[in-house]
Amino acid sequence: MNDFIVGPLPLWAEIVTAVFAVAGAAFAAIGSFGLVRLPTFFRRIHAPTLGATVGVWCMTIAMIVYFSVQGFSLFLHAVLIVLFIALTAPITTIFLMRAALFRERQKGGDVPPAAGPR
């Protein structure tokens, strides 16, 4: 159970882990503030998506550095989390945007017209 808890990390690993963890949290917070502050759905959808993706990448790098140094071997399990988020977040965003665009066109909103056959 205590295989990962060997002792304190070297200073360089603590600094790298802290920098990436704080950067990841900052990006996630910026994305959350964008979700709350931006006025329309089309503007709001970008901030959390980009913030969450960059934040997850930074947190994953921090996790890889921490557990790799702590366990004396390369820890790549966290990359699966990033791959899952990198695959699902843009797809989910595209579907949400298309649904919102469809509803806005039905209401006669000020959105670009649908592309017709050429």
Side-chain angles (χ1 to χ4, degrees):
M1 181 72 183
N2 293 331
D3 290 342
F4 284 111
I5 304 172
V6 177
L9 289 179
L11 181 62
W12 67 268
E14 288 181 352
I15 291 172
V16 170
T17 302
V19 166
F20 278 106
V22 169
F27 280 118
I30 290 169
S32 299
F33 290 134
L35 179 67
V36 173
R37 298 291 299 170
L38 292 175
T40 65
F41 175 79
F42 296 107
R43 291 182 184 173
R44 262 184 262 152
I45 194 88
H46 290 288
T49 304
L50 296 175
T53 304
V54 175
V56 166
W57 273 104
C58 289
M59 287 294 203
T60 302
I61 292 171
M63 195 178 339
I64 288 171
V65 169
Y66 179 83
F67 285 111
S68 294
V69 172
Q70 192 75 295
F72 300 110
S73 65
L74 190 58
F75 182 81
L76 293 177
H77 301 91
V79 174
L80 292 174
I81 298 169
V82 170
L83 287 177
F84 180 71
I85 290 175
L87 289 175
T88 58
I91 293 170
T92 304
T93 302
I94 289 171
F95 284 134
L96 286 172
M97 292 289 285
R98 290 184 72 131
L101 195 58
F102 178 76
R103 291 184 68 186
E104 231 11 75
R105 284 183 183 141
Q106 282 188 331
K107 290 191 314 188
D110 185 25
V111 293
R118 294 180 185 189

